[in-house]
Amino acid sequence: MFAVLKTGGKQYRVQSGDMLRVEKLAADAGEKVQFNEILMLGGDAPVVGAPFVAGAAVQAEVIDQVKADKVISFIKRRRKHGSQRTRGHRQKLTLLRVTEILASGAEKTGVRAATGAVSGAAVTAAAAPKAAKKAAAPAKDTDDLKQLSGVGPALEKKLLEAGVTSFAQIAAWTEADVAAMDEKLSFKGRIEREGWIEQAKELTKG
């Protein structure tokens, strides 16, 4: 009997005793895991799932946590010499030995279901939107710089990134400060044209 199982977004055709490398699982060497997403059972009486075969499972023993080999990436450039390089990333994998294929009764075995391991990159990616939102939100003691003429959300963000958080700072700018800020904002002359310093002084008084 053979089975077609699904894990890590891929499908594998396995038989009892097969050695298998799959996307990293949250399991240690020596542990037994069970794959419950079985797409097909083959043999004398094949069964095709819709999408999975009810009650079927594949059990396996974790041999080791390994990494895939580095791969050579060849890049072909039009009218130029191609280039190749070894990619530094090595995918984390789990080495398994298939121990048993169950046609039914998977829910009664008590063997822990195989689940993917969340990588550090995934955790970082998931946390990134929250961190970006937090960073974009102005601090409690930050003035609403959009009150200045010509300042929208994008320009306000640039000002905050440059360390400008209050009207008092802008009101105290010198000619040297204005010149330096013109360079940072890439809007040369805007500060004087829009009269930010005068506006800031009035807003500070208010």
Side-chain angles (χ1 to χ4, degrees), residues 122-134:
V123 172
T124 303
K130 294 181 181 179
K133 186 176 181 180
K134 185 177 180 181

Side-chain angles (χ1 to χ4, degrees), residues 138-173:
K140 292 182 179 179
D141 58 349
T142 299
D143 291 333
D144 183 7
L145 302 179
K146 294 191 294 296
Q147 293 185 48
L148 295 172
S149 177
V151 177
L155 192 50
E156 181 186 42
K157 183 179 178 182
K158 286 188 176 182
L159 287 167
L160 293 173
E161 289 174 349
V164 181
T165 60
S166 67
F167 297 130
Q169 286 176 271
I170 299 174
W173 278 352

Side-chain angles (χ1 to χ4, degrees), residues 25-28 31-36 60 62 109-115:
L25 301 176
D28 297 325
E31 284 191 53
K32 195 172 184 179
V33 294
Q34 178 171 292
F35 297 93
N36 295 316
V62 177
T109 64
V111 178
R112 185 166 64 86
T115 56

Side-chain angles (χ1 to χ4, degrees), residues 76-92:
K76 183 176 175 61
R77 295 186 173 88
R78 188 181 181 190
R79 300 193 183 94
K80 294 182 180 180
H81 293 293
S83 64
Q84 63 182 26
R85 66 186 179 92
T86 303
R87 293 189 179 275
H89 174 70
R90 297 177 63 190
Q91 183 64 39
K92 293 182 178 180

Side-chain angles (χ1 to χ4, degrees), residues 5 89 184 198:
L5 63 87
H89 174 70
K184 288 183 180 180
E198 290 73 17

Side-chain angles (χ1 to χ4, degrees), residues 155 158-164 173 176-188 191:
L155 192 50
K158 286 188 176 182
L159 287 167
L160 293 173
E161 289 174 349
V164 181
W173 278 352
D177 294 329
V178 171
M181 196 55 60
D182 276 339
E183 292 296 327
K184 288 183 180 180
L185 300 178
S186 301
F187 289 117
K188 195 168 184 179
I191 296 173

